[in-house]
Amino acid sequence: MTDLGAYAALVGMFNELDYAVSEFEEEPRITAEEALSYFGLPGGFIEPLLPDEEEFGVIHEPTADVYEWDDPWSVSYGIDGSTTRSLQFSNGLLAGASVAKLGVSGDSEHAELAKRATTTLVAHLNEDEFSLGDIDDSEFDTPEGIEAHVFQFPQCERTSRLEEYVVGVSRTYAEGRHAYEMASEIDGPLFIDGPIYPNPAFGWMLFEQVGEGPRRMTKIWPEMVSDILQNYVNTVETMHRRDLPLVGITKTSGSAVALDALETKIDDADADVSVPLPWTNDHQLFDDALFTMEDKHGDRGSIISYTPWLRQTKQTVRGHPVVPFETFDVDLEHGDASEYQRVFFYARTPMTDNVMRIEAPYLLVKDAERRNQIQRKVLVELAQQQKEPRAITHADEMARITRVDRNNLRQIIGSVRAIEDYNEKRGFRDMED
């Protein structure tokens, strides 16, 4: 419990903050929903996918009505993964292991796919004599339908990001490989827990494309970065061939790409709006814009709110515009990198008050009718679940690595002493979702 004197000081400071904010809120300023209308202006590398006569704005629908909409696909699938976080040992060994699973929602003829999994182990020890080269993945004593992949992280100069790299590679390789393997066998939409191209690999690629910023990972292990992203590109192409949707669901993000684009549009058009806008990232902007008091006090019941689709044609990295994949070592079946760019909309679930970014590759949503079908499918799932689609929830439950699992795996490495940091011992970092 917080010391009473310290807590009293916190209360006093927050009261002053509340007073300052209340005075600010009384000043006339643009609302978040008004700000969204400026997405219709040119520029900023983000454009609305709407007929010319329609304006970009928030749509509010009673959740009960959306719940009853016809579902374009009665069966859906979800990919999610879990990691051990980094396991550290006294001789400098770092390891990270991950499991990716498929969740199934609906009466599917392919329910047995949920039993399959892709597992990875990534290990790093900065010693010349250390090698995992003799390990044969096919010799593991694994049940049928379980893939196991072991990778040795290359030797490199010391970096504070090494744990992040080891865990990031382990998780995104497992999830991307499993998505690609499952895409050819499923018969409905595939939901990914997170963006359709994973962080951090997507970021590593962008910095490499512009030749600036934190490019260390693409120097240490460039072929792995390419392999991770290739798995996701292959998944996009497989789903396109099979005429099935691929959708990413991001629940939290510090990204400000939409906000930056909006400010660029306003600035270039010399609109009568002060920039920078008061929000600090996209999640804040859309959270504010999608909230409606009618949800709490209206006569239509709970309201699900969402935006039209937006298309991101380029990204700005360190001031340089770049088209993802255009100059990176990834094979694109359709040739033009613009086909693979992200299209997205935001939606708010009223009961939980969660705002999510829903995205898909442009290649799969170019057709307006198909785009509307996919949005309809997502909104039905959100109305029914009040959180991410049911298939993702199922995948998360099956892939989850518990704290007990993590500790048991750590103890298998008996030839060297394991190291736990203070937060782990407190149970603060039990696991990585």
Side-chain angles (χ1 to χ4, degrees):
M1 179 177 178
T2 306
D3 172 80
L4 291 178
Y7 184 73
L10 291 172
V11 169
M13 290 187 289
F14 271 77
N15 280 331
E16 288 300 315
L17 176 60
D18 178 59
Y19 177 73
V21 171
S22 65
E23 284 205 326
F24 168 74
E25 287 297 306
E26 291 175 1
E27 294 292 323
R29 64 184 183 97
I30 189 171
T31 67
E33 188 162 359
E34 290 169 346
L36 295 194
S37 66
Y38 289 95
F39 273 119
L41 294 172
F45 304 130
I46 288 182
E47 58 190 29
L49 291 175
L50 286 170
D52 291 338
E53 65 275 9
E54 289 190 25
E55 292 187 1
F56 190 89
V58 178
I59 301 103
H60 305 284
E61 298 280 2
T63 305
D65 291 354
V66 177
Y67 191 98
E68 298 299 329
W69 283 355
D70 290 336
D71 190 338
W73 292 275
S74 59
V75 178
S76 58
Y77 302 84
I79 291 284
D80 200 5
S82 174
T83 84
T84 59
R85 289 190 179 269
S86 65
L87 306 177
Q88 305 179 49
F89 299 87
S90 58
N91 67 339
L93 175 67
L94 280 177
S98 300
V99 176
K101 294 281 287 185
L102 181 80
V104 182
S105 176
D107 186 14
S108 171
E109 297 178 358
H110 306 286
E112 75 282 354
L113 294 176
K115 298 178 182 178
R116 290 165 60 175
T118 298
T119 61
T120 58
L121 170 63
V122 178
H124 170 78
L125 184 61
N126 233 11
E127 295 284 350
D128 292 336
E129 294 76 17
F130 178 70
S131 174
L132 297 176
D134 295 333
I135 293 181
D136 185 350
D137 300 356
S138 64
E139 294 180 357
F140 295 154
D141 184 19
T142 56
E144 183 179 355
I146 308 299
E147 282 194 16
H149 302 273
V150 176
F151 299 105
Q152 180 176 345
F153 196 99
Q155 292 187 45
C156 60
E157 294 180 1
R158 188 175 291 110
T159 167
S160 61
R161 292 185 175 273
L162 191 54
E163 291 179 61
E164 172 193 322
Y165 293 162
V166 168
V167 172
V169 166
S170 173
R171 178 180 57 80
T172 56
Y173 186 91
E175 290 182 358
R177 178 62 181 258
H178 202 60
Y180 178 37
E181 294 289 337
M182 296 296 99
S184 61
E185 301 193 46
I186 61 178
D187 56 354
L190 179 60
F191 292 105
I192 293 177
D193 186 25
I196 54 172
Y197 306 121
N199 294 321
F202 192 71
W204 295 335
M205 173 186 67
L206 293 179
F207 285 117
E208 183 64 24
Q209 283 190 246
V210 300
E212 293 187 17
R215 302 163 59 201
R216 185 169 294 179
M217 183 57 192
T218 51
K219 299 303 179 187
I220 297 172
W221 207 356
E223 61 273 20
M224 176 53 80
V225 179
S226 293
D227 285 349
I228 290 169
L229 292 170
Q230 189 71 65
N231 280 328
Y232 285 87
V233 166
N234 290 346
T235 304
V236 170
E237 292 170 347
T238 301
M239 297 298 283
H240 177 257
R241 282 195 297 272
R242 306 194 66 221
D243 195 27
L244 293 171
L246 176 67
V247 179
I249 309 284
T250 302
K251 298 180 283 293
T252 59
S253 171
S255 170
V257 293
L259 184 59
D260 289 344
L262 192 56
E263 290 179 340
T264 298
K265 290 171 179 286
I266 290 170
D267 205 29
D268 289 350
D270 198 23
D272 187 22
V273 177
S274 296
V275 292
L277 298 170
W279 303 277
T280 60
N281 56 48
D282 294 347
H283 191 83
Q284 277 190 1
L285 170 68
F286 286 99
D287 186 279
D288 195 3
L290 293 173
F291 179 78
T292 171
M293 289 301 294
E294 186 180 358
D295 176 42
K296 306 293 183 184
H297 307 291
D299 56 8
R300 296 199 296 166
S302 66
I303 302 294
I304 191 165
S305 303
Y306 59 98
T307 71
W309 291 87
L310 290 163
R311 181 189 180 194
Q312 187 168 13
T313 57
K314 294 182 182 179
Q315 291 197 225
T316 302
V317 182
R318 295 288 175 102
H320 302 285
V322 59
V323 178
F325 301 113
E326 193 170 56
T327 59
F328 197 72
D329 186 20
V330 173
D331 293 330
L332 305 177
E333 183 178 295
H334 293 269
D336 190 345
S338 65
E339 296 288 289
Y340 297 81
Q341 301 318 303
R342 296 178 294 186
V343 175
F344 61 93
F345 70 92
Y346 278 81
R348 171 183 170 269
T349 53
M351 290 179 63
T352 53
D353 201 21
N354 290 330
V355 173
M356 304 180 192
R357 171 175 159 137
I358 294 93
E359 61 183 45
Y362 181 62
L363 180 65
L364 273 62
V365 296
K366 287 195 294 186
D367 178 74
E369 183 177 351
R370 174 47 59 97
R371 203 161 55 240
N372 291 336
Q373 278 185 322
I374 292 174
Q375 187 171 57
R376 192 178 189 87
K377 169 64 177 175
V378 173
L379 293 172
V380 168
E381 291 266 356
L382 295 185
Q384 293 174 350
Q385 293 291 105
Q386 288 296 313
K387 57 182 180 180
E388 63 269 28
R390 187 180 296 109
I392 289 180
T393 304
H394 288 177
D396 172 72
E397 292 169 352
M398 293 183 294
R400 185 169 294 272
I401 299 174
T402 67
R403 188 183 185 197
V404 172
D405 293 336
R406 173 195 169 108
N407 287 334
N408 288 340
L409 291 169
R410 191 203 312 267
Q411 291 169 15
I412 291 173
I413 312 296
S415 56
V416 62
R417 183 171 57 86
I419 297 175
E420 292 183 82
D421 66 24
Y422 180 70
N423 281 332
E424 283 187 284
K425 292 175 181 176
R426 295 171 60 217
F428 181 65
R429 300 197 312 174
D430 284 353
M431 75 151 279
E432 172 89 5
D433 289 336

